Amino acid sequence: MKIRVLTLFPQMFDCLNESIIGRAIKSGKLDFAAVDIRAYSKDKHQKCDDTPYGGGAGMVMAAQPIYDCINAVDPNHEYLRIYMSPKGERLSDGLCRTLAKNNNILLLCGHYEGVDQRVLDLCIDREVSIGDYVLSGGELAAMVVIDGVSRFVDGVLGSFDSHEDESFSNGMLEYPQYTRPPEFMGLKVPEVLLNGNHKEIASFRAQKSRELTKRLRPDLLSGEE
């Protein structure tokens, strides 16, 4: 999968060179680059924002640098173009799976008070939000999307089961996990996980998953009850 992020702050994405995503980039499973929008500004000072028409606080990112940047990176519209926006579709496990079916994804990160609506109308395919709150820019939200989507790209995780056995994969929260030692600070690993009976283990985990979901996220079960 090719992922291109358009941003005023490309250095923020250096952290993606770590851990699972970093290994996927190094191995070629992901082709990632952060592109500096400022490099496409026609202003002699590479200015990319201006005051909003109609008044109001803050600055708005101008259409020209973004438009030129998008068309330089994706001249034939081969990428799914996504704008990170609190107005967008809420990110979910299902949406991550859907986005992962695309070979090429372009993420536009706004900043300040957002971007000129005209560039969205001209260039963007869909808007995505990571929650009902506002961040200072779209960079952190884009990182969340990259991490969430990349897990469903073949070869990024070591095992297919890694993302098929997590929270939300079956509509419920994941069961509790344990590792060595069998006892820590007086707390013991449930005996059923030590007996090697896979049927009993699966039943125990399913029960705990449902109990956790009912206690912490009952909204996920609302359709059943």
Side-chain angles (χ1 to χ4, degrees):
M1 173 183 277
K2 288 185 178 180
I3 301 175
R4 297 293 181 266
V5 176
L6 277 52
T7 172
L8 294 175
F9 305 98
Q11 293 83 5
M12 289 183 67
F13 291 87
D14 289 350
C15 63
L16 295 184
N17 291 316
E18 304 296 330
S19 190
I20 292 172
I21 304 301
R23 290 197 295 271
I25 294 171
K26 290 180 178 68
S27 68
K29 299 294 189 303
L30 296 177
D31 179 347
F32 171 79
V35 182
D36 190 351
I37 296 171
R38 203 176 300 278
Y40 294 87
S41 174
K42 293 179 178 178
D43 180 83
K44 64 179 181 180
H45 302 296
Q46 292 189 308
K47 184 178 178 182
C48 290
D49 62 346
D50 212 328
T51 55
Y53 279 123
M59 305 289 279
V60 175
M61 287 180 65
Q64 178 272 312
I66 298 172
Y67 182 86
D68 287 354
C69 185
I70 289 175
N71 285 286
V73 172
D74 183 28
N76 299 315
H77 204 152
E78 297 172 336
Y79 285 71
L80 176 67
R81 300 170 176 181
I82 299 171
Y83 174 50
M84 302 310 306
S85 165
K87 302 191 300 292
E89 178 181 359
R90 180 79 69 88
L91 187 68
S92 65
D93 183 77
L95 181 53
C96 284
R97 290 171 184 264
T98 297
L99 296 179
K101 295 176 183 177
N102 294 273
N103 292 325
N104 308 307
I105 293 179
L106 181 152
L107 302 171
L108 171 61
C109 301
H111 221 76
Y112 314 119
E113 295 300 313
V115 308
D116 190 308
Q117 181 65 39
R118 292 169 294 184
V119 79
L120 302 180
D121 295 339
L122 289 167
C123 299
I124 296 300
D125 299 316
R126 67 193 303 171
E127 299 185 24
V128 172
S129 167
I130 64 168
D132 295 339
Y133 47 88
V134 177
L135 301 172
S136 58
E139 285 77 15
L140 293 176
M143 292 180 206
V144 171
V145 170
I146 292 167
D147 194 291
V149 170
S150 295
R151 297 173 67 81
F152 296 104
V153 174
D154 287 345
V156 170
L157 297 183
S159 166
F160 175 78
D161 292 336
S162 293
H163 60 63
E164 292 302 321
D165 205 20
E166 297 177 322
S167 290
F168 309 111
S169 61
N170 63 353
M172 292 193 289
L173 302 181
E174 187 181 12
Y175 47 80
Q177 297 277 16
Y178 301 88
T179 187
R180 295 180 178 86
E183 182 174 346
F184 178 73
M185 300 293 288
L187 299 177
K188 296 182 178 180
V189 174
E191 187 64 32
V192 65
L193 300 178
L194 306 176
N195 66 16
N197 187 315
H198 297 294
K199 185 176 181 179
E200 289 183 5
I201 290 172
S203 177
F204 170 81
R205 286 175 167 172
Q207 176 189 342
K208 290 300 179 183
S209 176
R210 187 171 184 83
E211 288 175 359
L212 277 173
T213 305
K214 188 173 183 179
R215 178 163 59 89
L216 300 175
R217 288 293 304 276
D219 56 297
L220 296 175
L221 299 173
S222 59
E224 300 181 14
E225 301 174 346

